[in-house]
Amino acid sequence: MENQHNMAKDILNAPYMVEMIRTASNMYDHGWDERNGGNISLMLDEKEVSPYLDISAVIREVPTGFDAPTLDGRYFLVTGTGKYFKNIKYAPEINLGLIRIKNSGRTAELLWGYSDGGRFTSELPAHLMSHASRLTVDTKNRVVMHCHPANLLAMTYVHSLDEREFTRTLWQMCTECIVVFADGVNVLPWMLCGTNEIGVATAEKMRTARLVVWSQHGIYGAGNDLDETFGLIETAEKAAEIYMKIAHLQIKNTITDKQLKLLADRFGVSPRQGYLDV
Ligand code: 13P
Ligand code: ZN
């Protein structure tokens, strides 16, 4: 009789693993993840993990350094700290890890990956706290994604960081924006990254929007799957690109608030309360 290990399917063929690798490669190809820039966490159900791994076989335990009591027992596929997105497709087992959370969030049990002795992203506080926060408003949330797209980053040097103004500007840059992120974009001032403090602040901002800009650093997106979250950041970054192309020119036309309202009504979305003057 085969033992459990022999019977397990190869996790590299798991649909979520394939999708994670494709997404990371795509993000790299978009120029959003230079060097080790950016990180992704994907929440998984036990039933998605158990066909591939012996879930009682913990490779090692790693302290997280923060509390996330609502996430105990949850599984996450997470990019490794210091790892390059461009390398994930060539060596997923080194650059990714699959962890399970316990001890009120204070311990991560490694079940697969980080095979060179590495560990999860330094931004795990922002990721896990954001997961916990998004799950309170959307039980289907599974993804938190962070990256450094050039135009959104550039915008934080030249545009007001007021969330309403920042959101309105992006909505005005492409017709689809208000449809894709009707909840708007929240903005944090520059803060030291990799800390519990920026994690708490990001999670708080995630209560009211799925996009959170880290000024002079990058952006966080949250969503129900990798594709949707990628698309969310992609749309905001496209809008920021238009802004950076036109901000220094004389603006002759724009999308009016009345037109934004028409779009919201047509596509059945509710724009962030108080953000439109109509
Ligand atoms: P990690 O390499 O620890 O994931 O950090 C990258 C990053 O973007 C920090 O904000
Ligand atoms: Zn970063």
Side-chain angles (χ1 to χ4, degrees):
M1 182 149 160
E2 288 181 289
N3 65 30
Q4 195 175 1
H5 182 75
N6 287 339
M7 273 160 50
K9 297 196 271 178
D10 185 353
I11 196 167
L12 293 176
N13 296 328
Y16 53 81
M17 184 69 73
V18 172
E19 195 58 24
M20 182 79 157
I21 294 167
R22 278 191 192 146
T23 302
S25 302
N26 201 7
M27 291 171 75
Y28 176 74
D29 292 343
H30 275 65
W32 300 348
D33 298 279
E34 74 291 343
R35 200 175 185 276
N36 66 309
N39 18 79
I40 313 173
S41 57
L42 169 67
M43 195 171 87
L44 298 167
D45 294 334
E46 189 164 295
K47 64 177 188 314
E48 293 176 283
V49 178
S50 54
Y52 299 97
L53 297 176
D54 174 0
I55 57 169
S56 64
V58 175
I59 299 167
R60 55 191 150 98
E61 293 192 352
V62 188
T64 64
F66 59 89
D67 293 314
T70 60
L71 298 180
D72 275 2
R74 300 282 201 172
Y75 294 77
F76 294 92
L77 184 60
V78 188
T79 53
T81 186
K83 301 303 192 218
Y84 295 20
F85 271 35
K86 77 179 179 66
N87 293 339
I88 290 177
K89 65 179 170 187
Y90 302 114
E93 198 161 351
I94 292 178
N95 294 291
L96 300 173
L98 203 156
I99 57 174
R100 178 174 56 210
I101 302 303
K102 69 172 188 182
N103 292 340
S104 298
R106 299 208 72 84
T107 305
E109 298 177 301
L110 180 65
L111 299 174
W112 174 88
Y114 307 141
S115 62
D116 63 349
R119 54 182 278 153
F120 42 74
T121 174
S122 61
E123 304 293 4
L124 198 71
H127 279 258
L128 291 201
M129 291 179 198
S130 292
H131 275 283
S133 171
R134 285 308 303 169
L135 285 168
T136 64
V137 289
D138 176 7
T139 56
K140 291 200 180 72
N141 196 85
R142 291 292 178 275
V143 177
V144 173
M145 184 181 282
H146 165 62
C147 56
H148 305 160
N151 294 288
L152 279 163
L153 229 154
M155 217 175 133
T156 67
Y157 287 85
V158 298
H159 192 281
S160 152
L161 299 179
D162 176 84
E163 289 169 345
R164 182 177 182 274
E165 286 178 31
F166 203 94
T167 298
R168 286 176 50 82
T169 295
L170 292 178
W171 282 352
Q172 288 160 359
M173 293 304 111
C174 311
T175 291
E176 300 271 286
C177 279
I178 194 167
V179 180
V180 176
F181 52 93
D183 48 345
V185 178
N186 286 341
V187 183
L188 283 179
W190 188 91
M191 290 177 74
L192 188 60
C193 55
T195 61
N196 290 351
E197 288 70 28
I198 202 168
V200 170
T202 307
E204 184 56 35
K205 293 290 186 192
M206 280 280 180
R207 284 182 191 283
T208 49
R210 293 162 301 146
L211 286 168
V212 179
V213 166
W214 281 9
S215 295
Q216 295 84 48
H217 182 138
I219 191 160
Y220 269 75
N224 298 353
D225 59 44
L226 288 160
D227 235 16
E228 182 196 86
T229 314
F230 180 96
L232 189 61
I233 293 176
E234 187 181 27
T235 307
E237 169 62 4
K238 170 60 89 55
E241 183 180 356
I242 310 294
Y243 176 77
M244 294 308 297
K245 280 185 197 293
I246 66 165
H248 56 290
L249 303 174
Q250 195 196 350
I251 309 296
K252 297 195 172 170
N253 309 293
T254 189
I255 307 173
T256 65
D257 281 27
K258 232 172 152 177
Q259 291 167 334
L260 289 169
K261 176 80 167 59
L262 277 176
L263 281 163
D265 291 346
R266 174 72 179 79
F267 287 92
V269 297
S270 309
R272 183 83 164 261
Q273 197 74 37
Y275 275 27
L276 288 183
D277 294 323
V278 279

